[in-house]
Each structure stands twice: as structure tokens, then as C-alpha cells.
Amino acid sequence: MLLNDTLFRVLYVDVSKRSFHIKERPDLFQKYIGGTGVAIQLLSEECPEDYDPLGPDNPIIFAAGALTSLFPLASKTVAMFKSPHTGNLGESHCGGRSAVSIRLAGYGAIVIKGKSDIPIYLSISEGKVVFKNATTIWGMGSQGTVGKILRENETLPGMRTIMRIGRAGENLISYACVTTESYRHFGRLGLGAVFGSKLLKAVVVSGHRSFEVEDKKSYKSLYDEIYDLAVKSKTMKKYHELGTPENVIPLNRLNGLPTRNLQSARFEYAEDISGEAFADNFLAKRLACAHCPVGCIHLAELKEPYENDPYFYKKSTICYDYELIYALGSLLGGSNSVGILKLIDKIEAVGLDAMSTGVILAWITEAFSKQLISEKETSGLTPDWNNYDTYILMIDNMVEPVNEFYKALGKGVMNAASLYGGMEYALSFAGNEMPGYHTGPGSHLGYMIGARHSHLDNAGYSIDQKVLLNEHI
């Protein structure tokens, strides 16, 4: 038990009025389980019924759990909002330093409402919120550059998280994400667009509190037990060594790897884009989220010669995982691992959700091949499987729409298919683009009835895999 815990404190921020206040809310944290329970209750309190997801009163809620900053693995922040992508519940989880920073700043949750009259970012510390002009970083080509600028200018002590959007969020693309610490994301369901609707470029949280534990001996014993389980179990070893890309080959063997917009569930080049192949050819380092010993973040190093000087190389550090390899690899018929990494890098720069983007690009490719759309709609581009140069050019057209077709894509694959046809191969569940686990009825039922329409709503895909494994024995 903590002697000086501040978990019950909720920070309320109004960006319209440039004001904030703090409430003690023990009723929330004693009644509801974890950050998810607290955040969804705050959403029900703060979000008006039938309200426009891009309206000023749609709240952005960040919440941490009671174990955050105390025990290994408890390192994710829950974001809750009304989704501009589906019009339903928006829920997204993110690691990095976000949750620990919020706790060390003296809060259990943060609620942000309103709309600024100019682009701003928030600098949050214990008992203080500063509203800072973000006009000079609004519209920058890469949200990675934004992160560097904020790191140089935000010098408060302690642990710091920088949550920011790219051009996709600024332009209200409904599946824009929020990036933290360069390699972690509040992906899915459009939190980035909610940021953009408030003219909120970033949220920086810095905290340097420490917590005093009442029973130090019992705490240390439990901490060590959890730590050992985390670093020694076979499951966690998988996440450290290859990460989630280890799923590529097993799912392919089970006919569960979506390929070429799900024209097939088995990819003949799966080994070329497997976790093993990426580790052998590109892996530069592994990173871990704050207070997590697993180290499941895998970074590839891509070396490319400069066009006008082949003796010098540009190095890019690019984060990859299974969901990206599925959506931007097999789903696009992609056997070109360098092309996959370049497309990931492009999507990171503009701040899009990678899974939704991959599904949309796959639908474009099939729709083009079936002549539902032409070069008139694609602005002269010819999409084809494994053609990464074209896919990369399309990203800019989606983020800064050049015609009505690309504007339609900015609201998701279901919206585009409703206007141009091809609904039968628009891979979406209740408006949210398909996750990467095509394992059977358990996964599909979970996507349909889950609150977020995501593979993380339940373990349906795990049930399917056990059935498939038994069938193969």
C-alpha cells in the first residue's frame, strides 16, 4: 500500500478557456478496475450523447492503472474518446513513458476538452498546465521532427512523455493516430483527428514524484516475482527475441495470414517478410517501455545511398511489428522488405494508423484491377501489388487530398467503397479496418461484437488457433 498515492487525482483541462483544475475522485478508482474502467466512466460523464466526435466537447481522456509505476509490465496508458472513424467508442492503449509520466506527475487520469483558437500544445506537470503556441510546428512534414523540437524545448525534470500528431491528425483524417516516444502509438479509431479538431498538436507530461511503500519487504518480494515471470517465461522470450513478427510464419501455415486484400489467406513469400527475416537482415536494436523489462520494441536500420552521392548513406531507424508487416506487407502482396520499411516510415511521418492505411491501400489495388476506379481517381497513379513506390506517393494524396476520391479515403475503406463500389472486399468490421488475424469464426465474431472491433477486444483468434492446431495434428 502506498502512503502518498495521488492516483485519485484527475486533471481537467479546457483548451478553449486555457484553464485547468484538479479533482479528487476516489469514487472512480475504488469502484472501477484499472485505467480502462476509470476512463470509460469519465467518458460517460464528459461526452454528450450523440455528440460530434470532432466537436469541442468530445473529451480526450488518458488514464493509468493502480499498478502503474509500481510493478513491471504495468506501463500502458488508456485513451478513451468518441471515435471519428466509427462514431462509436474510441479506445486505444499506448506504452512508452506515457502512463508512468502521468502517475509521476501526480495524476491518475487527465481529461481534455474544448477547442483552441490557434494551434497549441500542453505542457503538464504536477499542479500546473501551460498552454503553449504550436503555430510554428503545425503543418510540419514529419511528426518525428516535431518530437525532436519538443524534446529540446521541454526541460522539466523527471520522466517525460511527448504525445503528438502528424499532418494526418491536423487534416482530420479519421484514422489518424497519436505517436509517443517515436515508436509507440495510440493507434486505431482516430485519436489523432480528435487532437486535430481541438488544434492540439501535442501533450507533454513530465513527472518526478516518488512513492513510499508501506510494506517494503512484501513489495520487493512481489516485484521480484513478477519481474522473474516477465523475463523468464517462454511467452515473454518470444516478444523479446523476435517480437510479434514471430506470428508471420505460424499464421501463414494455418492459412490465417491475410494476403492481397484477403484474396488468399496464405502468402507464398511469407518467409521473406517473417520476423526471422527482419531480425537477420535489419534488426538494429530492441527497446522497452518504461517499467517493462521485456524489450519487445524492434527497430530496423535501413541504409540508403543518397541519390546524388552514392558514397554516402542515409540511415533510418524504423519500428516494425506483426500488425505492420501484415497490413503493409502480405495484405499488399508485398515481398519487398525494404519497400515495407519505407512505407512504414512514410506512414509514421504523417501520423496514420498503419492497419487502417494498409487495408485501404489493398482495397484501392483490388478496386483498380477490377476497373471500379481508374487513374482519374488515383490522380495518375497505377496501384499494383508489391508496388511500394506508388503506395508511398498515395499516402501524401490521402493526407493532403488532391481530389474527391482521396477525400473519401480519408474517412476509411467503408466510406470509399460505399461511394465507388467494391464493398464486398472492403475489409472492415463496423467501420474499423480488419486486424491481421484471419483465423476463423472466433476472431471474426470478436471483431464484430467487440466495443472497439479489434483483435484486442477478446481472445477469439487464440481460440481459433487452438482449433486449427488440433486439426493439423
Side-chain angles (χ1 to χ4, degrees):
M1 184 176 183
L2 294 179
L3 299 177
N4 58 338
D5 198 2
T6 55
L7 180 69
F8 300 155
R9 298 170 74 202
V10 178
L11 173 66
Y12 293 83
V13 181
D14 187 328
V15 297
S16 299
K17 299 177 181 178
R18 305 284 201 278
S19 65
F20 70 93
H21 63 279
I22 299 166
K23 287 184 180 179
E24 297 281 345
R25 295 293 306 272
D27 56 307
L28 283 175
F29 291 90
Q30 290 172 354
K31 183 176 180 180
Y32 299 100
I33 299 175
T36 298
V38 168
I40 202 163
Q41 175 58 27
L42 283 168
L43 183 70
S44 69
E45 293 175 6
E46 298 294 331
C47 186
E49 189 174 354
D50 299 326
Y51 200 77
D52 179 1
L54 297 178
D57 284 340
N58 184 19
I60 298 169
I61 296 165
F62 297 117
L67 303 181
T68 299
S69 77
L70 297 175
F71 291 104
L73 304 179
S75 58
K76 286 196 173 184
T77 303
V78 177
M80 208 73 72
F81 51 99
K82 186 173 183 180
S83 169
H85 196 52
T86 64
N88 295 319
L89 175 69
E91 180 185 346
S92 188
H93 297 206
C94 183
R97 295 187 293 271
S98 56
V100 177
S101 297
I102 290 169
R103 286 284 273 125
L104 297 185
Y107 308 110
I110 299 172
V111 179
I112 302 169
K113 297 183 74 173
K115 179 179 180 179
S116 176
D117 55 344
I118 61 169
I120 62 167
Y121 75 90
L122 304 179
S123 180
I124 297 173
S125 56
E126 185 162 4
K128 188 176 182 180
V129 178
V130 181
F131 301 83
K132 298 192 176 184
N133 192 317
T135 302
T136 56
I137 56 175
W138 191 269
M140 279 192 166
S142 171
Q143 56 85 17
T145 304
V146 172
K148 291 179 182 178
I149 292 171
L150 292 177
R151 281 194 293 275
E152 292 174 0
N153 285 275
E154 291 297 317
T155 57
L156 290 171
M159 184 163 291
R160 179 191 60 200
T161 185
I162 300 174
M163 303 180 271
R164 72 269 189 186
I165 62 172
R167 288 186 292 126
E170 294 173 357
N171 293 337
L172 308 184
I173 304 300
S174 69
Y175 44 96
C177 71
V178 173
T179 300
T180 77
E181 283 71 77
S182 299
Y183 304 118
R184 299 291 87 186
H185 309 85
F186 291 101
R188 315 249 71 193
L189 298 172
L191 180 60
V194 181
F195 265 61
S197 71
K198 299 179 182 300
L199 294 183
L200 179 62
K201 182 64 177 179
V203 176
V204 181
V205 184
S206 302
H208 65 284
R209 287 185 65 88
S210 60
F211 298 110
E212 185 178 352
V213 179
E214 183 176 10
D215 186 343
K216 293 182 176 62
K217 183 177 180 180
S218 297
Y219 168 71
K220 184 179 184 304
S221 176
L222 181 57
Y223 186 101
D224 291 343
E225 181 182 350
I226 296 172
Y227 182 91
D228 287 342
L229 288 171
V231 299
K232 294 178 182 179
S233 73
K234 290 182 179 179
T235 300
M236 293 305 176
K237 185 179 180 182
K238 156 193 165 179
Y239 285 116
H240 176 74
E241 291 187 352
L242 290 179
T244 56
E246 184 181 273
N247 294 332
V248 172
I249 289 178
L251 284 171
N252 196 54
R253 289 173 179 164
L254 295 173
N255 291 320
L257 181 63
T259 298
R260 296 185 183 89
N261 203 38
L262 207 51
Q263 293 179 8
S264 172
R266 192 177 182 93
F267 189 39
E268 64 271 28
Y269 300 111
E271 291 192 2
D272 294 339
I273 61 169
S274 65
E276 292 82 352
F278 270 88
D280 289 343
N281 297 319
F282 300 103
L283 181 61
K285 64 172 71 174
R286 300 176 180 88
L287 298 177
C289 295
H291 289 210
C292 179
V294 176
C296 70
I297 303 171
H298 290 64
L299 302 182
E301 183 178 83
L302 187 62
K303 293 174 61 178
E304 302 174 85
Y306 284 99
E307 185 176 347
N308 299 322
D309 195 340
Y311 294 100
F312 290 89
Y313 288 83
K314 177 180 69 174
K315 291 184 180 181
S316 302
T317 304
I318 303 165
C319 184
Y320 66 91
D321 58 28
Y322 169 71
E323 281 73 17
L324 302 185
I325 293 173
Y326 137 71
L328 307 175
S330 64
L331 195 67
L332 300 178
S335 58
N336 179 357
S337 51
V338 171
I340 294 171
L341 288 172
K342 287 182 178 180
L343 184 56
I344 292 172
D345 200 33
K346 181 65 175 181
I347 289 169
E348 288 279 11
V350 299
L352 287 169
D353 177 77
M355 275 195 274
S356 287
T357 303
V359 169
I360 290 166
L361 291 173
W363 173 84
I364 293 172
T365 306
E366 185 165 356
F368 190 91
S369 71
K370 294 180 177 177
Q371 300 182 344
L372 289 180
I373 57 174
S374 67
E375 290 186 358
K376 175 184 176 183
E377 284 76 28
T378 63
S379 193
L381 298 176
T382 304
D384 196 12
W385 306 120
N386 203 31
N387 186 345
Y388 283 96
D389 290 339
T390 295
Y391 290 141
I392 289 169
L393 291 173
M394 282 186 160
I395 298 301
D396 280 327
N397 289 346
M398 290 162 65
V399 173
E400 306 279 355
V402 296
N403 59 24
E404 292 301 318
F405 175 68
Y406 284 105
K407 286 182 182 178
L409 296 175
K411 296 181 180 179
V413 73
M414 288 293 288
N415 179 67
S418 70
L419 297 173
Y420 293 90
M423 186 71 77
E424 64 273 24
Y425 47 84
L427 306 181
S428 177
F429 292 86
N432 196 20
E433 283 73 23
M434 177 185 174
Y437 298 84
H438 181 64
T439 54
S443 63
H444 293 165
L445 184 63
Y447 304 155
M448 286 187 286
I449 66 175
R452 290 180 293 162
H453 314 296
S454 165
H455 67 291
L456 297 178
D457 280 331
N458 55 70
Y461 64 97
S462 179
I463 296 171
D464 291 335
Q465 289 179 69
K466 290 175 182 177
V467 172
L468 289 170
L469 285 169
N470 290 334
E471 291 178 353
H472 281 70
I473 293 175

